[in-house]
Each structure stands twice: as C-alpha cells, then as structure tokens.
Amino acid sequence: MINPELHKQPVALDREKHRNLKVRTELSNLQAAAGLNAFFVTAAEFADACKEYPILFLGAGKDEQGQEQVAPVAVFGVTQGENLFLKADGRWDAFYIPAVLRAYPFTMARIEEDRYAVCFDGAWSGMSETEGKPLFDDKGEPTPLLNEVRQFVEQLEVEIERTRLAGQRLMALKLLAPKRFEATLPNGEPMSVDGFFAVDEERLNALTDAEILELHRNGLMGLLQAHQISMGNMRRLLDRRLAAQAAVAANA
C-alpha cells in the first residue's frame, strides 16, 4: 500500500536498476512520519495499538460496487501535522509503532492487474549506493535483508485487504457512525475533533443473536472492543499535547 503522505517518491524495486542499492539502517526511518497526525493500522494491530493511541475510522470513498469504505487509523495528534509521539532525535515515544511505518521506506504496490512489487521511497535519505546494507548480493540475488523486507510487506498487504473487508462488513451492519470528540483544556480552551467514524453504541446493543454470533466468529467483535478501549486514549493524547506545550514554554 502506497500512502502519498509517507511515500513521497515510490519506486518499484528492480534487480538490475537497483543492484547496488543499500539501506542505511542506522538512520531513523520514522522521521518521515513527522507531519502525520494519524496513520493507518490493520485490524491485526488493534490489540497492540489500542493500548497507545485512539483508533478511529476515516471515510475511504466507495468500492467498485458503490459500498462505503472506511480505514482505521491510530491518532498521533489533535491538529493537522501534529505528531506527539515522534521525538526530535527520531525516537518513537510509544511501545507500539504501526506496521506500515515500521516497514518504511519499503512497501508493496500493485503495478499491474494481478502483479505486485516491492517498492521503496526514493525520497528517503537512507537509500544509498555507497553506504549501508545491500539489498542484492554480487550475483544479483536478494540478500537476507531484502527477503525479510519482502516477507514483511507481503504479509502486511494481506492484512490490509483483510482490514478493508472488515471495515466493509462493519459499515454494512451500520455499526460505525459519524462522531465528534469534545473536551475542555485546563485553560478553558475548547477542543473538538470530528470527521471520523466510531462504534454506534445504540446499534451495537441492538444486534440480533445471529449478528453477535457472526461478529464473534469472524473476530469483528474483538475489533470493536479494542476500538472502544482505544477511545480512552483521547484524553491521554490531550495530556501529551499539554505536556509538549509546557516543555516548549519552559525552554523559550
């Protein structure tokens, strides 16, 4: 999955063109997320991500059949371009980092109808032909590093598709609805976040026995529960923002 906000110059990895390409693994690959206030997470990540971030669902257009799509995101900040988890030295201030970010600068992308390729972000400074760990050996064969990368992004692509189908089913069951988060900061300043979907508690409580059984069997009930748990992190996110503002003021 190529995310334009993250992968600025996506390039399909080519055995011949990039035979000498290396990766400077000593550099932080997370700096690319400096301007991201939210980022996609797969359904498989909810159990870990819900302990650190609010998980919201954003509208993602409609599919070929006209069904409304949603994409779950972990929220890093409450204003545009605000990432409260990335430190100035490139460290991430949380135990869990979303998988797509961990894979960066690599990703998987469809280049033909039924053909996918490993891609990398040509804009990342950690790609080099003179320094770092090689992606191909002297014979042009993938190194263990590249094999590991390929395996990771291939599995990630599978999880992305599963997540798309999960969101589609939640929307079909009308379990997600537009929501708004409101809070008042200690200085009296109002804070609101909208434009997202979250679980519809009334609809959830009105599920039939058959629907509840279905959600338990396909894992979607656990997904909704993790999402509900994560919403408690909105308050913690505001506290993190206030702490960051206080630190800036103290150093001014």
Side-chain angles (χ1 to χ4, degrees):
M1 179 185 77
I2 292 178
N3 185 311
E5 293 184 321
L6 182 67
H7 308 104
K8 306 295 186 182
Q9 296 177 18
V11 180
L13 189 63
D14 183 278
R15 182 192 302 264
E16 298 303 323
K17 291 181 181 178
H18 306 121
R19 186 160 179 165
N20 297 320
L21 197 61
K22 298 176 175 62
V23 183
R24 297 185 60 189
T25 55
E26 79 279 6
L27 298 181
S28 170
N29 62 339
L30 298 175
Q31 291 286 8
L36 302 179
N37 74 332
F39 201 74
F40 175 82
V41 288
T42 66
E45 299 178 84
F46 272 41
D48 290 315
C50 76
K51 301 170 186 175
E52 306 274 3
Y53 320 99
I55 301 174
L56 310 178
F57 294 85
L58 301 183
K62 296 183 178 181
D63 64 12
E64 295 176 354
Q65 287 73 44
Q67 295 179 302
E68 195 166 6
Q69 304 286 289
V70 290
V73 297
V75 181
F76 304 149
V78 294
T79 60
Q80 191 68 29
E82 179 182 67
N83 188 329
L84 298 169
F85 292 88
L86 182 65
K87 296 299 184 181
D89 60 3
R91 290 182 299 110
W92 196 266
D93 190 25
F95 288 109
Y96 187 77
I97 303 172
V100 177
L101 288 181
R102 281 184 278 128
Y104 184 84
F106 299 100
T107 188
M108 181 73 73
R110 178 181 292 176
I111 56 176
E112 293 179 5
E113 182 62 28
D114 58 351
R115 185 165 166 247
Y116 288 78
V118 174
C119 297
F120 65 92
D121 185 4
W124 185 53
S125 59
M127 307 302 294
S128 170
E129 290 195 350
T130 58
E131 300 178 77
K133 296 182 179 180
L135 296 176
F136 298 97
D137 62 22
D138 295 339
K139 297 180 180 179
E141 296 298 322
T143 61
L145 172 61
L146 180 53
N147 285 331
E148 184 179 336
V149 165
R150 179 181 286 117
Q151 182 179 4
F152 187 77
V153 295
E154 284 179 351
Q155 183 58 41
L156 187 51
E157 199 65 28
V158 171
E159 295 300 336
I160 289 170
E161 176 61 15
R162 287 177 179 168
T163 303
R164 185 187 70 81
L165 295 175
Q168 188 178 82
R169 186 59 183 147
L170 291 176
M171 291 299 285
L173 289 171
K174 296 180 170 50
L175 283 166
L176 300 177
K179 297 287 183 177
R180 180 185 181 90
F181 174 82
E182 296 182 332
T184 301
L185 301 181
N187 63 1
E189 177 187 353
M191 171 69 68
S192 65
V193 179
D194 55 17
F196 64 89
F197 291 86
V199 65
D200 186 327
E201 300 279 357
E202 185 175 341
R203 168 61 181 141
L204 182 63
N205 293 332
L207 287 171
T208 65
D209 289 346
E211 288 171 334
I212 292 173
L213 181 59
E214 175 200 342
L215 292 175
H216 276 292
R217 283 181 169 173
N218 61 20
L220 292 184
M221 187 62 78
L223 207 68
L224 288 175
Q225 290 170 342
H227 158 61
Q228 289 175 300
I229 290 170
S230 80
M231 295 303 287
N233 291 324
M234 287 298 292
R235 181 70 254 180
R236 292 174 61 191
L237 193 65
L238 291 178
D239 291 342
R240 182 180 285 264
R241 185 172 192 257
L242 291 172
Q245 290 175 333
V248 170
N251 295 324

